[in-house]
C-alpha cells in the first residue's frame, strides 16, 4: 500500500505525526510532504527542530522510518505531482485553511497543492483534515466545494465516547478515522458495538 501524507501549518501537528507513525508501524509506504509553515508549527508545538533542506524523518517520528520518503514542498518533479504515479490515497493532516483554500481554488503552486489537485482530477481518495475554529463563510464555501469535487472532509475533531485517557488517545480518535478512510487496518480505537 502506498499513500501521500502532507503536513501543513495548522495547529495540531500531532495529528499528522501520529498518523505518519501509525502508517510506518503498518509498513505502509508514505510519500511525505511538509510545508514550510508546518515546520514552524512543529517547532512551536512539539519542540522539534527540523529543516526542509535536510529533513530528518526519524527525528520527526522518534523511530526508524524505512517506508517513508520525504519530498520538499517545492519539488514539483516528485512522483505525487503526476497523475501517472500510483497511490492508494492522500491525506493532508492537519490541513490549514490556507492550503484548503488553494486546493479549493485549483491553485497548484507547490507539491502539496499540486498533488491534491492531481488526486481530485484522477478521482482518487483525498482526505483533508482541517483545523480551525470558528469557521468563516469562506472556509465553509471551500469545504463544500472540495466535498463536491470528491474530497473527504475529516476535521481534526476528536471524540470522547471511547473515554480517551491521554492527549494521544484523544488524537487517535481522529487518526483512527483517517486510517479507516485510507483503508488501513488498525486497532487504535474500540469499535462501537464491539466489546473492548
Ligand atoms: C502556531 C500557529 C498555529 C496556527 N494554527 C492554524 C490553524 O489551526 N488553522 C489554520 O488554518 N491556520 C493556522 N495557522 C496559520 C497557518 O500556518 C498559515 O495560514 C500558513 O500560511 C499556512 O501555510 P501552509 O498551508 O502552506 O502550511 C497557524 C500558524 C501558527 C504560527
Amino acid at each position: 500500500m502506498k499513500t501521500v501524507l502532507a503536513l501543513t501549518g495548522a495547529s495540531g501537528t500531532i495529528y499528522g505525526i501520529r498518523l505518519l507513525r501509525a502508517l510506518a508501524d503498518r509498513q505502509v509506504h508514505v510519500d511525505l510532504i511538509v510545508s514550510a509553515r508546518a515546520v514552524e508549527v512543529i517547532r512551536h508545538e512539539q519542540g522539534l527542530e527540523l529543516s526542509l533542506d535536510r529533513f530528518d524523518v526519524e527525528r520527526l517520528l522518534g523511530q526508524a522510518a524505512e517506508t517513508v520518503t520525504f519530498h520538499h514542498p517545492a519539488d514539483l518533479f516528485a512522483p505525487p505531482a503526476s497523475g501517472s504515479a500510483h497511490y492508494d490515497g492522500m491525506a493532508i493532516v492537519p490541513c490549514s485553511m490556507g492550503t484548503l483554500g488553494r486546493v479549493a481554488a485549483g491553485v497548484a503552486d507547490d507539491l502539496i497543492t499540486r498533488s491534491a489537485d492531481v488526486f481530485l482530477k484522477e478521482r482518487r481518495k483525498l482526505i483533508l483534515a482541517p483545523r480551525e475554529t470558528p469557521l468563516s463563510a469562506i472556509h465553509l464555501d471551500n469545504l463544500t466545494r472540495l466535498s463536491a469535487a470528491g474530497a473527504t472532509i475529516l476535521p481534526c475533531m476528536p471524540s470522547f465516547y471511547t473515554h480517551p485517557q491521554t492527549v494521544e488517545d484523544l488524537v487517535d480518535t481522529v487518526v483512527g478515522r483517517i486510517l479507516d478512510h485510507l483503508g488501513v487496518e488498525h486497532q487504535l480505537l474500540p469499535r462501537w458495538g464491539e466489546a473492548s
Side-chain angles (χ1 to χ4, degrees):
M1 188 166 196
K2 206 170 166 192
T3 65
V4 180
L5 172 61
L7 273 61
T8 67
S11 182
T13 50
I14 188 172
Y15 289 105
I17 296 168
R18 284 191 74 78
L19 176 60
L20 179 61
R21 198 170 292 154
L23 292 168
D25 286 347
R26 287 158 185 78
Q27 303 298 308
V28 175
H29 289 265
V30 180
D31 279 28
L32 174 69
I33 319 163
V34 181
S35 77
R37 287 291 178 199
V39 168
E40 291 175 14
V41 180
I42 290 169
R43 183 186 308 125
H44 183 74
E45 293 187 339
Q46 304 292 321
L48 271 176
E49 204 59 59
L50 295 163
S51 154
L52 279 184
D53 293 324
R54 297 167 57 114
F55 199 88
D56 188 342
V57 180
E58 297 198 0
R59 189 174 167 80
L60 178 67
L61 278 183
Q63 64 186 55
E66 288 102 8
T67 55
V68 181
T69 306
F70 175 78
H71 302 288
H72 193 289
D75 181 9
L76 285 175
F77 285 82
S82 170
S84 66
H86 178 76
Y87 293 96
D88 298 291
M90 172 173 179
I92 308 183
V93 185
C95 184
S96 75
M97 288 300 152
T99 291
L100 191 117
R102 287 190 289 279
V103 177
V107 176
D109 61 347
D110 70 6
L111 184 60
I112 296 174
T113 51
R114 167 64 188 167
S115 305
D117 202 51
V118 166
F119 271 67
L120 289 177
K121 83 180 172 74
E122 300 292 337
R123 303 195 178 277
R124 294 184 185 147
K125 171 67 73 184
L126 173 65
I127 299 164
L128 304 178
R131 212 264 22 133
E132 188 51 275
T133 196
L135 296 169
S136 71
I138 293 169
H139 299 148
L140 292 166
D141 271 356
N142 287 336
L143 289 163
T144 305
R145 216 163 170 200
L146 286 163
S147 178
T152 299
I153 308 297
L154 200 159
C156 294
M157 200 182 272
S159 59
F160 295 83
Y161 58 84
T162 52
H163 305 293
Q165 300 295 305
T166 64
V167 170
E168 287 74 18
D169 289 348
L170 202 59
V171 166
D172 285 350
T173 64
V174 174
V175 170
R177 299 297 286 131
I178 298 172
L179 291 171
D180 286 346
H181 280 262
L182 285 172
V184 177
E185 290 286 326
H186 70 91
Q187 277 152 0
L188 290 187
L189 302 169
R191 302 271 172 196
W192 189 247
E194 286 177 13
S196 52

